[in-house]
């Protein structure tokens, strides 16, 4: 839920949507773990590609690898846009200086991604603390407003808005390409789903609390990024004595996004290397250069791009593909009871419907 935390929904129903999607996105690692063959001599499924190949063959593996590359690239792109936006906020004008911010963030990611994992983990802890400080400053700014958002601006539910935002809901809290890799590196991989469940629960509660407070306090004055509300009133004018908080928050979130780039980049470049044969260093340079160019040209449409990627790719990886693999592999070993088949069919139908409706809504808008 990294970059998705900063996208304030325009209606209260989207907070519930984030909680729901965050919980149901856990079906991916659960089904992955359940689908692993347990009999001796069976292949070890260390990636989505392995799982899909066992279920549907080698062609399907190549297709899912392309899906995962697109999804992971979407995360990298969103982090580049987020870092560039916050760095340009520090420089004075978000859109005028955004290319400069993007270049700085890309250079940082290129250098830091080569760090040992232990050092990256320390940077991640520091950046996580800084993002928590930013969330606190956001709530403090809302509580210092001379007047709160009127009740007429608050809307409890808007189903069309929920459907149109389904893609970014799944895109934000999910990271499906990383599930098998993290699970394979654990000393006790069977504990992974329980760890993930607790992490999702804590993250969703935190994000819902911050998001709901911001929506109630700022109403329609809430900006696309909470950084743009910190230290400002509902007319986006500086609050007396606290305007400095905006620069502090922008600095913290820029550092957070740049560290996340360094985390995502090795996974993305290794996937590109396995698919194309291009060496890791070369693919890292190519990926960063292309991503920086796209981010600079389409920064204002970044949210729309993430929504399309979420609808077309992430929803299918979160619901459709794990369900199909689990269903096919389980039927080889046992007869599934009716209630289990009904649940799998419901998840499959929900994934397909949200994917189609999300893409159509994004294109039409």
């Amino acid at each position: 839920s990294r970059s998705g935390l900063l996208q304030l929904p325009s209606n209260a129903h989207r907070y519930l949507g984030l909680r729901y999607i965050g919980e149901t996105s856990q079906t991916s690692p659960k089904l992955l773990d359940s689908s692993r063959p347990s009999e001796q001599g069976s292949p070890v499924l260390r990636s989505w590609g392995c799982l899909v190949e066992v279920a549907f063959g080698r062609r399907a593996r190549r297709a899912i690898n392309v899906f995962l590359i697109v999804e992971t690239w979407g995360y990298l792109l969103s982090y580049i846009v987020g870092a560039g936006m916050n760095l340009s906020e520090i420089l004075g004008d978000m859109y005028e200086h955004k290319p400069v911010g993007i270049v700085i963030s890309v250079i940082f990611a290129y250098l830091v991604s080569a760090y040992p994992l232990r050092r990256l983990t320390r940077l991640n802890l520091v950046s996580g603390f800084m993002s928590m400080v930013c969330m606190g400053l956001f709530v403090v700014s809302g509580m210092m407003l001379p007047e709160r958002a009127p009740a007429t601006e608050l809307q409890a539910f808007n189903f069309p808005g929920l459907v149109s935002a389904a893609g970014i809901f799944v895109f934000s809290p999910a990271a499906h390409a990383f599930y098998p890799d993290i699970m394979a590196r654990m000393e006790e991989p069977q504990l992974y789903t329980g760890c993930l469940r607790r992490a999702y629960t804590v993250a969703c509660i935190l994000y819902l609390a911050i998001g709901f407070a911001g929506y109630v306090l700022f109403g329609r004055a809430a900006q696309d990024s909470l950084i743009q509300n910190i230290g400002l009133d509902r007319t986006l004018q500086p609050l007396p004595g606290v305007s400095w908080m905006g620069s502090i928050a922008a600095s913290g979130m820029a550092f957070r996004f740049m560290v996340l780039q360094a985390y995502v980049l090795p996974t993305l470049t290794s996937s590109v290397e396995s698919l194309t044969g291009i060496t890791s260093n070369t693919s890292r340079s190519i990926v960063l250069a292309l991503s920086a160019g796209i981010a600079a040209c389409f920064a204002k449409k970044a949210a729309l791009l993430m929504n399309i990627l979420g609808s077309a790719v992430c929803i299918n990886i979160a619901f459709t593909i794990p369900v199909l693999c689990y269903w096919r592999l389980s039927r080889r070993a046992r007869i599934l009871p009716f209630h289990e088949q009904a649940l799998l069919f419901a998840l499959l139908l929900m994934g397909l419907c949200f994917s189609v409706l999300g893409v159509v809504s994004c294109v039409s808008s």
Side-chain angles (χ1 to χ4, degrees):
S1 46
R2 283 112 3 216
S3 61
L5 167 65
L6 299 183
Q7 303 301 323
L8 277 180
S10 59
N11 299 298
H13 74 278
R14 297 190 181 180
Y15 302 120
L16 300 179
L18 177 61
R19 180 76 172 94
Y20 172 72
I21 292 297
E23 289 296 325
T24 52
S25 290
Q26 297 177 43
T27 57
S28 299
K30 290 178 183 177
L31 293 177
L32 176 66
D33 184 59
S34 302
S35 301
R36 293 185 301 168
S38 58
E39 55 271 8
Q40 190 173 3
S42 298
V44 179
L45 303 183
R46 296 189 180 277
S47 67
W48 282 116
C50 294
L51 175 64
V52 173
E53 182 177 2
V54 171
F56 296 103
R58 188 166 298 177
R59 291 184 178 179
R61 175 174 183 159
R62 287 195 292 266
I64 192 63
N65 284 338
V66 173
F67 264 61
L68 293 173
I69 287 175
V70 173
E71 182 194 43
T72 311
W73 171 78
Y75 291 126
L76 177 64
L77 184 63
S78 67
Y79 298 151
I80 291 175
V81 172
M85 179 184 69
N86 286 284
L87 287 172
S88 58
E89 184 91 5
I90 299 171
L91 296 175
D93 185 273
M94 179 180 300
Y95 296 108
E96 181 181 353
H97 297 96
K98 180 165 284 188
V100 178
I102 289 174
V103 171
I104 294 173
S105 69
V106 166
I107 294 175
F108 179 92
Y110 184 86
L111 297 175
V112 175
S113 61
Y115 280 9
L117 184 59
R118 184 182 298 272
R119 187 181 298 182
L120 267 179
T121 301
R122 293 172 181 169
L123 289 177
N124 187 47
L125 290 174
V126 174
S127 67
F129 173 77
M130 295 175 73
S131 66
M132 296 288 291
V133 172
C134 294
M135 287 184 273
L137 293 176
F138 173 67
V139 175
V140 170
S141 296
M143 296 178 66
M144 295 182 65
L145 291 174
E147 57 179 14
R148 307 287 171 81
T152 55
E153 290 190 9
L154 305 181
Q155 187 175 3
F157 191 80
N158 182 354
F159 183 75
L162 176 63
V163 173
S164 64
I168 203 167
F169 278 162
V170 178
F171 182 88
S172 296
H176 313 93
F178 301 94
Y179 289 156
D181 181 58
I182 296 173
M183 187 186 299
R185 285 185 292 170
M186 291 182 67
E187 294 182 358
E188 298 178 274
Q190 67 275 12
L191 301 179
Y192 179 64
T193 55
C195 295
L196 193 69
R197 186 184 306 112
R198 290 189 290 271
Y200 265 110
T201 300
V202 173
C204 285
I205 292 174
L206 174 64
Y207 296 166
L208 288 170
I210 298 298
F212 184 78
Y215 181 66
V216 171
L217 293 171
F218 287 97
R220 293 180 183 174
Q223 300 300 298
D224 292 338
S225 167
L226 61 79
I227 301 298
Q228 296 173 294
N229 284 110
I230 294 178
L232 305 177
D233 60 19
R234 282 175 31 85
T235 62
L236 304 183
Q237 298 300 314
L239 290 169
V242 295
S243 58
W244 55 268
M245 292 196 304
S247 298
I248 298 296
S251 301
M253 289 312 304
F255 182 70
R256 176 61 173 165
F257 279 123
M258 289 190 291
V259 172
L260 290 173
Q261 288 179 60
Y263 261 101
V264 170
L265 190 57
T267 300
L268 177 57
T269 53
S270 63
S271 300
V272 173
E273 182 181 3
S274 63
L275 190 66
T276 64
I278 302 175
T279 61
S280 180
N281 288 333
T282 303
S283 61
R284 181 171 57 168
S285 302
I286 294 174
V287 166
L288 281 176
L290 288 176
S291 300
I294 293 174
C297 295
F298 301 101
K300 295 182 180 180
K301 296 292 184 180
L304 178 61
L305 178 60
M306 286 187 282
N307 206 355
I308 294 176
L309 288 175
S311 299
V313 177
C314 298
I315 288 181
N316 287 309
I317 297 177
F319 300 105
T320 308
I321 294 172
V323 168
L324 289 176
C325 291
Y326 178 82
W327 205 333
R328 186 178 182 89
L329 294 174
S330 297
R331 289 178 62 184
R332 297 176 183 176
R334 62 188 176 92
I335 299 177
L336 296 178
F338 175 77
H339 71 276
E340 190 171 348
Q341 293 190 52
L343 176 61
L344 292 173
F345 180 77
L347 285 171
L348 181 63
L349 183 63
M350 179 182 65
L352 291 174
C353 289
F354 271 94
S355 179
V356 173
L357 292 175
V359 172
V360 171
S361 177
C362 291
V363 173
S364 62
S365 63

